[in-house]
Amino acid sequence: MPIYEYCCQDCSARFEKLLPLSRAHEQPPCPECSGGKTRKLLSTIAAVRSSDGSGAPPVSVGGGGGCAGCSGGSCATCGH
Ligand SMILES: [Zn+2]
């Protein structure tokens, strides 16, 4: 079961959640502010996806987080 990482767009909290693949599309509420505006981060799950030799290699994995739109530092998308 993969671990997904989320960041809250309301309070910028980051948290991890174990979800089966069948529920991977769900957005768990933020444990800090109970807000529902959480965003899945790609840092963890991106490693699982293997590109089938169709084009570019996967974007760099790791680096400690950041949401889909940011590279760890400042991000307008997740309010960080
Ligand atoms: Zn929050």
Side-chain angles (χ1 to χ4, degrees), residues 1-4 6 17-26 40 44-46 48-49:
M1 199 181 295
I3 295 181
Y4 296 93
Y6 297 86
K17 195 92 176 173
L18 268 174
L19 284 179
L21 282 175
S22 56
R23 296 174 60 198
H25 62 282
E26 292 184 9
K40 186 189 295 180
T44 307
I45 195 61
V48 178
R49 273 196 215 144

Side-chain angles (χ1 to χ4, degrees), residues 7-13 27 30 33 36-40 76-80:
C7 82
C8 174
Q9 298 187 59
D10 283 334
C11 69
S12 297
Q27 281 187 302
C30 172
C33 70
K37 290 165 67 177
T38 52
R39 184 181 193 86
K40 186 189 295 180
T77 316
C78 67
H80 228 269

Side-chain angles (χ1 to χ4, degrees), residues 32-70:
E32 298 291 332
C33 70
S34 300
K37 290 165 67 177
T38 52
R39 184 181 193 86
K40 186 189 295 180
L41 307 182
L42 296 181
S43 54
T44 307
I45 195 61
V48 178
R49 273 196 215 144
S50 63
S51 61
D52 305 319
S54 59
V59 214
S60 71
V61 181
C67 70
C70 71

